[in-house]
Amino acid sequence: MTYDLVVRGGTIITSDRSVVADVGVRGETIAAIGDRLRGAREIDATGMYVLPGAIDGHVHMRTNRAHDVYDDTFETGTIAAAFGGVTTMVDQAQVEVGTSLSDGLDSRLAEAEASLIDYSVHINVREASLERVAEIPAIAERGFPSFKFFMNYETYALPDEIIFAAMQAVASCGGLAIVHAEHRGVIEELERQNRLAGRTGPEWHLSARPPELEAEATHRALALAQIAGVRLLIFHMTASEALREVRAARARGQEVYGEVCTQYVLLSDADIYDPVSGTALRFSPPLRTPAHQEALWAALADGTLDVISTDHGPRRRVSGPDGQLYTPPGTSGIETRLSLFHTFGVLAGRMSLQRWVDACCTRPAVVCGLPTKGRVDIGYDADLVVFDPEAKLTLSHEVLHSDIDYSTYDGITVQGLPVTTISRGEVLIEDRTLMAAPGRGRLAPRGYPGPL
């Protein structure tokens, strides 16, 4: 039997096993896994790893608005993603106040049509309005079952009673509630006190966001979700105190997922002091001390943290009022995540090959409700990555593909690179060369098994 495409002779790494075998693809689907398969087209993966296509469940492509504009478009950002072995991403529809969720979603989907890879979106509910809450079931019915709620940031944060009502609405349609967990009111008071005292440096950005406030907000979000009966994802966890809250919730049987982002385990609070690049790292929740980093690594290894995402939203350097060059807050990572965690996770002995694949590829499909993604198995989408575990690259914006002039991980040398990326049977990247055109990406079907 001849298949349309065969990836031959690689070591298939999944979330629970490693095996040397061929992968046969028919159309857009994995049709066979075995030995000596033959295809109309064959890719030799001998000596390489064959992974499921990576999934990044937390990214920000360019949004046309007056402020906080990220510099990767759906075209440039998804090209970078494909070079990084990412075949599916979940962006965000940050629906403006005064706009219906449906109109905000439609606008974002129109922008997303330029994608090279498959995509979906989380819906950001930003308006403290029961009218908006009432729109949630109709959005879920359209195939968008995940909704994000901010507990921090002016014009984004919602009061607890609206978050709770929205969680109830999400629960009614068997969806996923997502929170950015921080205690806005106390952070703003600490910032006010710092300003009055003339404290404005990087250390005071950190002092206004202590880990206890992330833990408190995480506890509160978990309590609201437990009462509402909804599955919950905590975005970008950073603090050991917050991890304890997730472990306690799991122990009482609550369905909660934890996410960590690349920057929080690879960078520390010391990195924000760089006068040019450090300004890009003044985000919230903030980078923490090495002790918190070690707690995050341990939580990744034991599964308390389910997934690794990037919060990819890079921005170009600009001149400040004093004429000095600086980088607005935002990180790049969609192209570098697999390589960074292979280098500093797998090769450093902090996580197994299987856990690396689980956290970057398989578990994100479960958390984001992507039933056809995340596995090298018969019947799943033929999203595959050929990964060279020996290849090395020193990262810089010149060798990467985002539309920026600075990479968060400039100067870091990684070992292990995606060399070929396949999406639904189509070769996007071959031997580190772009082979397909943006616009071929497709809206990925999503859904969860049912209400809790």
Side-chain angles (χ1 to χ4, degrees):
M1 181 179 293
T2 300
Y3 298 93
D4 298 327
L5 173 68
V6 169
V7 179
R8 182 166 44 80
T11 301
I12 300 171
I13 310 291
T14 71
S15 60
D16 57 6
R17 70 186 191 280
S18 301
V19 59
V20 176
D22 304 336
V23 181
V25 175
R26 182 168 290 115
E28 299 185 345
T29 305
I30 297 172
I33 298 172
D35 297 323
R36 288 179 281 193
L37 302 182
R38 290 292 172 257
R41 180 177 184 185
E42 297 186 2
I43 293 174
D44 186 3
T46 303
M48 312 267 189
Y49 297 152
V50 178
L51 319 176
I55 298 167
D56 196 336
H58 187 174
V59 305
H60 300 271
M61 297 301 149
R62 186 178 182 88
T63 301
N64 292 320
R65 56 189 177 190
H67 56 85
D68 296 333
V69 176
Y70 302 110
D71 284 308
D72 254 338
T73 64
F74 277 93
E75 179 174 337
T76 64
T78 57
I79 289 173
F83 273 97
V86 177
T87 56
T88 309
M89 69 176 186
V90 188
D91 189 77
Q92 298 182 42
Q94 296 181 333
V95 182
E96 300 286 346
V97 173
T99 302
S100 72
L101 299 186
S102 181
D103 287 347
L105 172 59
D106 288 342
S107 177
R108 196 56 169 166
L109 292 177
E111 294 173 327
E113 289 179 356
S115 292
L116 176 66
I117 65 173
D118 289 352
Y119 59 89
S120 187
V121 296
H122 305 301
I123 313 301
N124 287 184
V125 180
R126 293 176 49 189
E127 192 169 350
S129 161
L130 291 176
E131 179 183 354
R132 293 289 172 259
V133 170
E135 297 171 7
I136 285 174
I139 299 299
E141 183 68 23
R142 290 179 58 181
F144 301 90
S146 54
F147 298 82
K148 180 181 177 183
F149 312 113
F150 281 89
M151 303 174 80
N152 191 20
Y153 294 141
E154 185 178 2
T155 77
Y156 286 82
L158 297 174
D160 288 351
E161 63 271 20
I162 293 295
I163 292 176
F164 175 68
M167 284 180 170
Q168 288 181 307
V170 176
S172 73
C173 49
L176 174 73
I178 304 169
V179 296
H180 174 134
E182 290 187 289
H183 195 305
R184 178 191 178 200
V186 178
I187 289 173
E188 289 181 346
E189 173 59 18
L190 289 171
E191 288 180 323
R192 186 189 69 82
Q193 292 176 14
N194 283 341
R195 286 193 301 270
L196 285 176
R199 300 188 294 248
T200 60
E203 65 271 31
W204 304 112
H205 171 83
L206 299 172
S207 76
R209 295 161 177 83
E212 293 83 359
L213 293 185
E214 181 182 336
E216 184 280 331
T218 299
H219 178 91
R220 187 156 33 101
L222 285 162
L224 296 176
Q226 177 79 346
I227 298 167
V230 72
R231 58 176 61 85
L232 180 68
L233 168 62
I234 310 290
F235 262 174
H236 42 52
M237 300 190 72
T238 73
S240 58
E241 293 87 343
L243 293 171
R244 285 199 293 269
E245 296 292 341
V246 168
R247 289 188 177 106
R250 291 234 180 101
R252 62 177 178 260
Q254 190 167 353
E255 186 172 349
V256 55
Y257 306 119
E259 175 203 79
V260 72
C261 295
T262 308
Q263 58 270 27
Y264 292 111
V265 288
L266 297 184
L267 304 175
S268 76
D269 55 348
D271 291 297
I272 75 169
Y273 291 91
D274 185 281
V276 178
S277 61
T279 55
L281 306 177
R282 295 189 195 180
F283 34 69
S284 191
L287 297 176
R288 306 266 185 217
T289 63
H292 287 286
Q293 288 179 289
E294 289 306 314
L296 294 173
W297 277 116
L300 263 177
D302 70 20
T304 300
L305 290 168
D306 295 86
V307 297
I308 301 167
S309 306
T310 63
D311 204 356
H312 180 86
R315 300 165 76 180
R316 288 179 166 271
R317 288 174 167 168
V318 297
S319 293
D322 58 0
Q324 295 296 310
L325 200 64
Y326 80 102
T327 313
T331 60
S332 60
I334 199 167
E335 184 173 353
T336 55
R337 178 182 52 148
L338 276 178
S339 294
L340 286 166
F341 279 89
H342 181 260
T343 303
F344 297 103
V346 175
L347 296 182
R350 290 185 169 114
M351 62 197 315
S352 67
L353 280 168
Q354 286 71 31
R355 182 68 185 113
W356 169 59
V357 168
D358 189 39
C360 293
C361 310
T362 304
R363 196 67 178 155
V366 174
V367 173
C368 293
L370 293 158
T372 65
K373 305 288 187 182
R375 295 182 182 275
V376 181
D377 210 346
I378 294 170
Y380 281 79
D381 287 356
D383 297 347
L384 301 166
V385 177
V386 179
F387 188 92
D388 183 347
E390 302 299 328
K392 293 183 179 181
L393 182 69
T394 299
L395 303 177
S396 70
H397 71 274
E398 290 93 349
V399 301
L400 299 172
H401 298 84
S402 285
D403 189 19
I404 52 175
D405 56 359
Y406 164 74
S407 166
T408 301
Y409 306 100
D410 271 353
I412 292 176
T413 298
V414 294
Q415 180 176 330
L417 290 173
V419 293
T420 296
T421 302
I422 300 163
S423 169
R424 288 182 282 104
E426 180 178 357
V427 178
L428 307 184
I429 308 294
E430 186 169 17
D431 295 329
R432 303 286 297 168
T433 300
L434 181 64
M435 305 298 291
R440 53 78 55 200
R442 184 184 299 167
L443 183 64
R446 294 175 63 205
Y448 294 93
L452 294 180

